[in-house]
């Protein structure tokens, strides 16, 4: 086997294994232990972070910061991946901000001159626009790690009234209309709640006395149905104009409440949490005549109260 091919195969093998010995690799590749030792030294010089342990149970292992083996991309694939990362630049906070920036730089640096020229021209021809937000979400990586590792974390959560401390088990994170959201099981409330990530002011280790739930089958695609307590939901019906549909498409994101007609108008007909009635009241008040709420009565009453409060601010002014 040529040395170059053996080094590539060796890089793929050590990235795949958690721990290995020189003897095991020598047998697998059909070379001497001395040859494998030289190859491992070259891999270390190429950037593969190898760690060795001595003793009867010793061996080699690759540290967490693994280096992927070389991957060949076509020009079109490379351009597509570049713009996939480039699309995230409008978000002030993303879970892999440093890594995405580094990957983007590598793609651009190692492309041929004509491909870089093509990308430079395309940068001003294609964009992925999101609403400009001032909100900061510095704990995205911690929340994502907790969702993957099935961990309980303690957060400080800022509401309109105060900051509460809660132990939660995140299910995942997602972005919608420039904001990040985290559905999570809240041990304080005894159910799943949707948290705005920009309102999370701290993340630390959770209460060691709380045992994590088995949420491996719960994900961003099914969390609303998995834990929905229908007694805490109410039916919402709203007719929307084309403009109302456009706003609700951006604002309601993944909720699945919105239906659209062929002429662009639409309607909402579904269950909403009773606790979110004030949120929906503000949303539909902001839409004005582009939204007509039919039910629930609690939502209509909440809108009336908020409209009276708004009118009182300008009462007597010309």
């Amino acid at each position: 086997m040529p040395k170059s091919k053996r080094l590539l195969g060796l890089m793929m093998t050590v990235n795949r294994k958690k721990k290995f010995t020189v003897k095991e690799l020598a047998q697998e590749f059909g070379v001497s232990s001395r040859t494998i030792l030289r190859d491992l030294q070259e891999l270390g010089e190429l950037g593969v972070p190898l760690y060795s342990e001595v003793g009867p149970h010793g061996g080699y292992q690759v540290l967490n910061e693994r280096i992927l083996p070389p991957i060949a991309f076509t020009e079109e694939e490379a351009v597509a991946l570049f713009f996939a990362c480039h699309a995230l630049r409008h978000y002030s906070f993303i879970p892999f901000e440093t890594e995405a920036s580094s990957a983007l730089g590598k793609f651009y640096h190692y492309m041929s001159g004509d491909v870089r020229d093509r990308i430079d021209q395309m940068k001003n021809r294609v964009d992925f626009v999101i609403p400009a937000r001032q909100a900061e979400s510095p704990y995205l990586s911690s929340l994502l790690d907790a969702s993957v590792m099935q961990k309980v974390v303690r957060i400080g959560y800022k509401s309109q009234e105060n900051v509460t401390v809660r132990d939660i088990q995140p299910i995942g994170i997602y972005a919608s209309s420039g904001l990040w959201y985290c559905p999570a099981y809240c041990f304080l409330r005894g159910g799943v709640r949707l948290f705005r990530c920009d309102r999370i002011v701290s993340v630390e280790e959770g209460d060691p006395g709380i045992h994590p739930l088995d949420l491996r089958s719960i994900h961003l695609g099914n969390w609303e149905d998995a834990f929905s307590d229908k007694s805490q939901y109410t039916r919402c019906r709203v007719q929307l104009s084309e403009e109302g549909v456009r706003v609700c498409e951006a604002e309601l994101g993944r909720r699945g409440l919105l239906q659209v007609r062929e002429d662009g108008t639409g309607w909402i007909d579904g269950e909403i949490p009773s606790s979110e009635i004030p949120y929906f009241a503000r949303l539909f008040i902001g839409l004005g005549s582009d939204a007509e709420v039919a039910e629930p009565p609690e939502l209509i009453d909440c809108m009336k109260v908020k409209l009276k409060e708004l009118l009182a601010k300008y009462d007597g002014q010309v």
Side-chain angles (χ1 to χ4, degrees):
M1 179 187 298
K3 181 180 179 181
S4 59
K5 187 175 181 180
R6 187 177 70 247
L7 283 175
L8 179 58
L10 188 60
M11 182 183 294
M12 298 175 68
T13 299
V14 301
N15 269 285
R16 187 176 66 249
K17 292 177 177 289
K18 290 186 176 180
K19 194 172 183 180
F20 52 88
T21 65
V22 170
K23 185 177 180 181
E24 290 171 350
L25 294 179
Q27 292 175 346
E28 183 171 342
F29 286 89
V31 295
S32 67
S33 296
R34 180 174 296 180
T35 298
I36 289 295
L37 283 171
R38 287 198 299 265
D39 289 347
L40 290 176
Q41 183 177 355
E42 288 196 38
L43 289 185
E45 292 172 353
L46 289 172
V48 178
L50 294 169
Y51 172 74
S52 62
E53 295 178 345
V54 297
H57 301 291
Y60 282 84
Q61 64 184 58
V62 181
L63 300 180
N64 288 334
E65 290 292 329
R66 300 187 181 189
I67 304 296
L68 294 176
I71 302 173
F73 292 103
T74 66
E75 178 180 321
E76 296 300 322
E77 289 171 339
V79 171
L81 286 172
F82 179 91
F83 278 98
C85 292
H86 188 64
L88 298 173
R89 73 191 187 283
H90 291 302
Y91 282 94
S92 300
F93 293 85
I94 57 175
F96 313 105
E97 184 173 1
T98 302
E99 294 83 354
S101 177
S102 174
L104 203 62
K106 288 180 180 178
F107 265 109
Y108 189 80
H109 178 75
Y110 288 106
M111 288 175 181
S112 61
D114 60 324
V115 177
R116 286 202 299 268
D117 291 342
R118 181 183 174 196
I119 286 177
D120 289 340
Q121 291 297 319
M122 290 177 67
K123 281 181 182 179
N124 297 322
R125 308 289 181 181
V126 61
D127 203 356
F128 305 83
V129 178
I130 61 171
R133 304 285 190 180
Q134 300 300 318
E136 297 184 356
S137 302
Y139 299 107
L140 297 177
S141 295
S142 298
L143 295 169
L144 180 58
D145 288 343
S147 70
V148 172
M149 302 302 294
Q150 300 279 290
K151 290 172 53 180
V152 176
V153 293
R154 176 164 292 181
I155 65 169
Y157 193 68
K158 180 174 61 177
S159 65
Q160 290 183 338
E161 295 80 21
N162 53 19
V163 175
T164 59
V165 176
R166 308 169 182 227
D167 287 293
I168 67 169
Q169 186 173 337
I171 293 170
I173 59 174
Y174 69 87
S176 178
S177 299
L179 294 173
W180 286 92
Y181 297 87
C182 176
Y185 186 88
C186 177
F187 291 90
L188 176 65
R189 304 300 184 196
V192 170
R193 296 292 186 271
L194 183 62
F195 298 93
R196 278 256 305 263
C197 294
D198 57 293
R199 293 179 179 171
I200 296 177
V201 297
S202 63
V203 175
E204 57 187 40
E205 291 290 330
D207 184 344
I210 297 178
H211 296 289
L213 303 176
D214 185 359
L215 300 182
R216 286 173 295 180
S217 62
I218 310 301
H219 49 76
L220 294 179
N222 66 6
W223 68 270
E224 288 185 286
D225 295 330
F227 284 95
S228 61
D229 181 355
K230 294 304 180 183
S231 66
Q232 298 181 17
Y233 279 66
T234 184
R235 186 184 181 188
C236 178
R237 292 194 302 119
V238 185
Q239 293 296 324
L240 299 168
S241 69
E242 286 188 67
E243 177 63 15
V245 167
R246 186 189 65 79
V247 173
C248 287
E249 281 178 331
E251 190 68 29
L252 298 181
R254 303 170 59 97
R255 289 175 181 260
L257 297 170
L258 182 63
Q259 304 293 325
V260 183
R261 301 184 181 94
E262 290 185 2
D263 64 358
T265 64
W267 74 96
I268 288 173
D269 190 350
E271 302 291 322
I272 64 171
S274 300
S275 60
E276 293 190 15
I277 282 179
Y279 160 75
F280 282 96
R282 290 191 296 270
L283 172 62
F284 297 135
I285 287 173
L287 287 174
S289 60
D290 290 307
E292 183 179 348
V293 179
E295 61 176 315
E298 298 88 346
L299 175 56
I300 296 173
D301 291 340
C302 185
M303 293 174 65
K304 289 179 179 179
V305 170
K306 291 184 178 298
L307 286 170
K308 287 179 180 178
E309 293 173 350
L310 182 61
L311 287 171
K313 286 186 176 182
Y314 300 99
D315 189 28
Q317 295 187 25
V318 178

